[in-house]
Amino acid sequence: MRGCKYSFLMVLFVLLFSGFPSRLSSEITKPALPNVRIAFYFSGANAGAKIAAAIADLPATGGTVDARGLEGSQVISAALTIGATDKPVTVLLGAATCTLSAGITVNAGSSLVGLQGTGNGPGAGDTAYDGTQLVQAAGVNLPFMVNLAGTNSSIRDMTVSGNQANNPTALDGIKITGLRALVERVTTQNHKRHGIYIVSTGDNNEAAGPQLEKVHSLNNGSDGLLITNTTDLVSHMAYFENNGAHGAELSNSSGARLVEGDFGGNTGYGLYSYGLSTSWGGIGMIIVGNQFGNNLQHDIFINGWDSAGGAVASIGHTITGNYFNGLGSTATNNTWNAIMLTDSGYNNVTGNTIRNNPAAGPHRFKYGIQVNDTTGTREKSDIIALNKFIGTFGTDLVTSSTTNTSFLLNSVDGAGGGGIGIGAVPSALLNLYALTIHSGTDINIQIRPNGTASLLNFTNDADNATIPVELNASGFAIGSTSPPAAGVMLDVTGKGAFTSTVKLGTSTFANLGTPVSGTIVWCSDCDPSAVTYVTNDCASVGAKTGAMATRYVATWGCLSK
């Protein structure tokens, strides 16, 4: 028995003094997974220091730092860098409100991932909730809170709040300077300047292809989104609301796709685009399926002219299937439009629904859609088609100051408050080109500006039956695509039927002239007693020089002198 007791004591002595507890602690701190570190177990004065130590302990190939065990109120007091060249790192945050005194930089291939939390999330006042929230500490005035600086860097599932009331010279919430960065399921709010700032230097386009997915950018001092010198933005189901300037501002940034978003309650424009004619220019935005409402200026403003370069820059946009719900209640009445195109061109504005506020206002749109050519030479051809206007508008539903605008099948439901405004150029009333209805009948309708081939041309080409209609300054022709001869107001060359009385044109004898055969006119001062007319059954014999034929009781009678 004494031997067993002695052996037990010896084993206990060896364990106590052989470093077993330290090895056990080490195994808990650094699990068997070679590329995962648990930040909770690392030394550091606060969450930021623990996360930084865990990142540093990862192998050169990178890995994951799990900081979800750091919950509640946490502090990140020093600049935090996630990942490095060829060392991608993912940092996982949990149900914590982290107060930042310095920014977080996310490098290539690296990610900052949080926890969405339950409920509606925090509002403008940095209200705590059970998800992940980054809050800017008072008085630190950061230039950014999170910078996605590397290719394929990302931030997901959290709220980033700027505390702008206590940071009067701070700048942006999320800054993007890296290629193909991703912001997903993130609320960025209450920043002194922009909620999201995407920027490339010159024409280098190093931040190209940014992706915003289910993002909310709210209550920021300036823009919800500013993107500069950067192409190929994709924004899907993003909300840009209640910002101090514009919902989204695209400066010299082409190829943006803004789909199924919400631009509302902004002090400036809902969506604003302009560019440089010597650079990316702001070409080819696709704006589809968004909602606009309660902005205090234009919902969409495309300013196409580059004054520095002296040329058109922001052009070729597709604005389709959007809903415009009226101006904000404090907007200036009869001043702003749902869609404003100035000195732009090649834009397709189709299938939108534009609802104006009640006539009592006092904050109605001036125009539903305005195409404005400030000099008469800048705006290129635009198509305004199949748009629905609801309510009363301050001036007109649509207006254009250029002959290059084509309007097609726009409709109004309500008092209207106007119609298709012809602006400064009367010939710009309507331009309909190649309207085709595929129902066994091919129909082409053209209405062209005055001074060109025609004002109206209608052609039915089905079954080899041609019934063209031509209307121009000379007159009106049925059955021919050529205008009537001089002095002829109505030329029925093909088939035509009048179901009521017809009043002929009037001329004096001196002005009868020598029009083509078949012309009929009422001679107001001709002497009926000086002319003898004979009516015979029509025949085609003899001279065949022609006669006026009149159908009477199943017989054609020809009138001759």
Side-chain angles (χ1 to χ4, degrees), residues 250-341:
L250 288 82
S251 173
N252 194 44
S253 297
S254 293
R257 282 140 285 179
L258 301 111
V259 181
E260 296 181 327
D262 195 316
F263 302 77
N266 300 290
T267 301
Y269 311 123
L271 175 60
Y272 181 30
S273 173
Y274 54 93
L276 300 174
S277 59
T278 56
S279 183
W280 304 114
I283 298 172
M285 282 193 301
I286 298 173
I287 307 167
V288 176
N290 300 284
Q291 178 173 286
F292 295 82
N294 297 311
N295 297 300
L296 299 189
Q297 297 181 15
H298 304 307
D299 280 337
I300 296 179
F301 181 24
I302 309 297
N303 187 3
W305 185 254
D306 170 22
S307 57
V312 173
S314 185
I315 57 174
H317 307 301
T318 298
I319 305 173
T320 298
N322 302 285
Y323 185 83
F324 299 83
N325 198 33
L327 290 168
S329 60
T330 59
T332 304
N333 189 46
N334 201 28
T335 302
W336 308 105
N337 312 319
I339 301 174
M340 178 67 171
L341 309 176

Side-chain angles (χ1 to χ4, degrees), residues 319 348-352 369 383-388 406-411:
I319 305 173
N348 292 319
V349 183
T350 58
N352 300 286
I369 303 172
I383 295 176
I384 313 295
L386 300 170
N387 298 288
K388 180 71 173 180
S406 298
F407 296 103
L408 172 64
L409 299 181
N410 297 288
S411 64

Side-chain angles (χ1 to χ4, degrees), residues 11 23 37 65 98 107 137 168 193 207 255 282 289 361 381 389 477 486 517 561:
V11 171
R23 287 198 301 271
R37 300 293 182 267
V65 171
C98 299
N107 285 319
R193 197 168 72 166
S381 59
F389 300 89
S517 297
K561 185 175 179 181

Side-chain angles (χ1 to χ4, degrees), residues 73-257:
S73 297
Q74 300 292 334
V75 172
I76 298 176
S77 58
L80 180 63
T81 300
I82 301 175
T85 303
D86 298 324
K87 185 181 178 178
V89 173
T90 296
V91 172
L92 305 178
L93 300 177
T97 296
C98 299
T99 301
L100 272 62
S101 297
I104 300 174
T105 298
V106 184
N107 285 319
S110 298
S111 301
L112 179 61
V113 182
L115 182 68
Q116 274 283 294
T118 60
N120 295 323
D126 306 323
T127 304
Y129 75 122
D130 60 352
T132 303
Q133 185 172 200
L134 307 180
V135 180
Q136 186 168 176
V140 296
N141 294 296
L142 300 178
F144 61 83
M145 291 186 66
V146 177
N147 182 15
L148 302 182
T151 299
N152 295 325
S153 56
S154 65
I155 178 173
R156 301 196 296 272
D157 296 318
M158 66 184 65
T159 294
V160 182
S161 296
N163 189 14
Q164 63 173 309
N166 297 303
N167 289 284
T169 60
L171 296 180
D172 310 310
I174 299 173
K175 183 178 181 180
I176 297 177
T177 57
L179 185 69
R180 295 190 298 273
L182 170 65
V183 182
E184 184 175 14
R185 295 188 300 272
V186 170
T187 296
T188 176
Q189 62 182 19
N190 200 23
H191 301 285
K192 184 62 179 179
R193 197 168 72 166
H194 312 307
I196 301 174
Y197 179 38
I198 305 171
V199 58
S200 298
T201 54
D203 293 334
N204 294 326
N205 208 22
E206 62 265 30
Q211 303 169 67
L212 308 180
E213 179 71 29
K214 298 179 181 176
V215 170
H216 291 71
S217 187
L218 316 170
N219 301 294
N220 300 292
S222 188
D223 294 341
L225 165 67
L226 173 62
I227 176 170
T228 301
N229 303 329
T230 303
T231 66
D232 299 321
L233 164 72
V234 176
S235 175
H236 176 237
M237 295 183 70
Y239 291 70
F240 305 101
E241 296 182 317
N242 302 323
N243 296 290
H246 315 304
E249 180 176 351
L250 288 82
S251 173
N252 194 44
S253 297
S254 293
R257 282 140 285 179

